[in-house]
Amino acid sequence: MMESAIFSFKNFENRSILDRDGDKLGEVHDVVLNIQTGEIAYVLLASGGFLGIGEKYFPVPYEALRYHAGDETYRMNISKDKLEQAPSIEIGDWPNRPDRKQVEEVYTYYGYQAP
């Protein structure tokens, strides 16, 4: 039987995101929706820190993630070093509606074209 490809947004939260070697990069902190297209604009990956203190947040294009049903994680073809150089945000500094330039910077870093 084929597993459903439809998820509630609640099912994304706190899912682990692993690198190409299977090492943990972080967890899904939030999912941001493009309300004009109805598609996921990006996933906010939380990395590092302890109990939410000292965490860094990385917006990641949803296209850069691949769901792995076996262990219910997401995988990215990226190293931890490359992630640490990626555009990051401070919670509270990233606007509720980032401008086009901010979104394009994120997509470009990961090698994708912004929608």
Side-chain angles (χ1 to χ4, degrees):
M1 184 166 109
M2 187 171 174
E3 196 168 318
S4 176
I6 299 172
F7 283 98
S8 161
F9 276 121
K10 288 188 259 181
N11 288 333
F12 282 98
E13 193 173 35
N14 299 321
R15 295 258 179 180
S16 292
I17 299 176
L18 310 179
D19 68 10
R20 59 182 163 222
D21 297 323
D23 296 323
K24 188 171 179 177
L25 294 170
E27 297 178 340
V28 175
H29 176 75
D30 203 355
V31 177
V32 179
L33 184 68
N34 179 328
I35 59 172
Q36 292 178 333
T37 66
E39 297 175 345
I40 295 173
Y42 56 87
V43 171
L44 198 56
L45 184 160
S47 182
F50 181 71
L51 298 175
I53 299 170
E55 281 185 318
K56 286 183 78 173
Y57 298 91
F58 301 93
V60 174
Y62 185 68
E63 295 90 336
L65 301 173
R66 297 289 174 257
Y67 182 68
H68 190 263
D71 58 5
E72 297 185 340
T73 62
Y74 285 91
R75 308 286 171 103
M76 288 182 69
N77 188 21
I78 191 172
S79 68
K80 190 163 186 94
D81 291 338
K82 182 155 172 91
L83 177 68
E84 289 176 1
Q85 301 302 311
S88 64
I89 62 171
E90 295 287 328
I91 295 299
D93 288 346
W94 189 254
N96 285 336
R97 293 185 175 172
D99 65 33
R100 179 88 182 150
K101 184 178 175 185
Q102 291 168 309
V103 173
E104 286 176 353
E105 177 186 5
V106 167
Y107 272 74
T108 300
Y109 183 82
Y110 292 99
Y112 293 91
Q113 185 173 356

